[in-house]
Amino acid sequence: EARGGRWGPASAASLYENPWTIPNMLSMTRIGLAPVLGYLIIEEDFNIALGVFALAGLTDLLDGFIARNWANQKSALGSALDPLADKILISILYVSLTYADLIPVPLTYMIISRDVMLIAAVFYIRYRTLPTPRTLSKYFNPCYATARLKPTFISKVNTAVQLILVAASLAAPVFNYADSIYLQILWCLTAFTTAASAYSY
């Protein structure tokens, strides 16, 4: 799966492609689950939130596995949609967990700021790599493959650490360890990998 990294041009042969792949549908499912998770966290229904989070994680694992193993399921859209789904999910989770006093405000601000910057870059690069003449209908047509996002190692590590912190924070009120020193260490590690990932761009 491609969670942030460097952009490369799509091949000419794949300039126009089918966007209705299984990995893309799974990424859209993950985007749809994000507000559900946010609502559950704000309502402090952490047991169900843990289950929904596990389901979102399963869609993440499946879309990467399918895209890697079936060539006809890969797409330039998917290389952008997968990390976009992750960023939407992570952003909503961090905001709602901060609202629930389970993640500190400065850390959430740092993560959201980085993700807003990256999402803006996705839209800008989409525009820059679109074949001329550039039109709104072509820009929003998912069948046009433009740039493909290639992941970097640090971006993968950062996403993994951020998701581990989310899982640990969701489980904290369920298993009564919200004041654990290990959570605070995880906050520091998440801040470090987020900064390193942003610098790598």
Side-chain angles (χ1 to χ4, degrees):
E1 55 134 24
R3 290 189 179 81
R6 296 186 175 87
W7 286 91
S11 66
S14 65
L15 189 59
Y16 198 79
E17 63 185 13
N18 173 28
W20 307 113
T21 63
I22 294 172
N24 290 352
M25 295 299 100
L26 289 169
S27 292
M28 291 301 296
T29 299
R30 195 154 66 258
I31 291 172
L33 289 174
V36 175
L37 267 168
Y39 173 78
L40 289 170
I41 292 167
I42 289 171
E43 291 296 311
E44 299 186 359
D45 202 341
F46 296 109
N47 289 289
I48 296 177
L50 269 174
V52 175
F53 178 70
L55 177 61
L58 182 60
T59 68
D60 199 9
L61 291 173
L62 281 175
D63 71 24
F65 176 79
I66 293 169
R68 283 191 300 270
N69 290 281
W70 283 273
N72 67 341
Q73 294 296 306
K74 291 181 181 178
S75 67
L77 174 64
S79 76
L81 189 59
D82 179 35
L84 182 63
D86 288 340
K87 291 181 194 335
I88 290 171
L89 178 67
I90 286 172
S91 296
I92 290 177
L93 282 167
Y94 272 80
V95 168
S96 54
L97 285 166
T98 300
Y99 178 86
D101 291 324
L102 292 170
I103 289 178
V105 172
L107 179 58
T108 295
Y109 179 79
M110 181 182 187
I111 290 168
I112 298 298
S113 298
R114 171 190 171 274
D115 285 352
V116 167
M117 176 189 72
L118 294 180
I119 289 170
V122 167
F123 284 104
Y124 173 73
I125 292 169
R126 167 71 173 173
Y127 171 78
R128 291 286 297 173
T129 57
L130 203 65
T132 55
R134 300 183 180 102
T135 64
L136 279 176
S137 61
K138 191 183 289 184
Y139 184 90
F140 290 106
N141 186 342
C143 295
Y144 279 100
T146 54
R148 196 177 293 273
L149 189 56
K150 300 173 183 177
T152 61
F153 175 73
I154 187 61
S155 69
K156 290 182 176 181
V157 171
N158 179 55
T159 301
V161 171
Q162 288 182 354
L163 290 173
I164 288 169
L165 176 56
V166 166
S169 299
L170 275 174
V174 177
F175 298 103
N176 199 27
Y177 62 84
D179 296 325
S180 170
I181 185 67
Y182 297 108
L183 267 182
Q184 296 171 30
I185 292 171
L186 201 48
W187 295 345
C188 296
L189 180 60
T190 304
F192 173 77
T193 59
T194 299
S197 177
Y199 179 77
S200 74
Y201 289 95

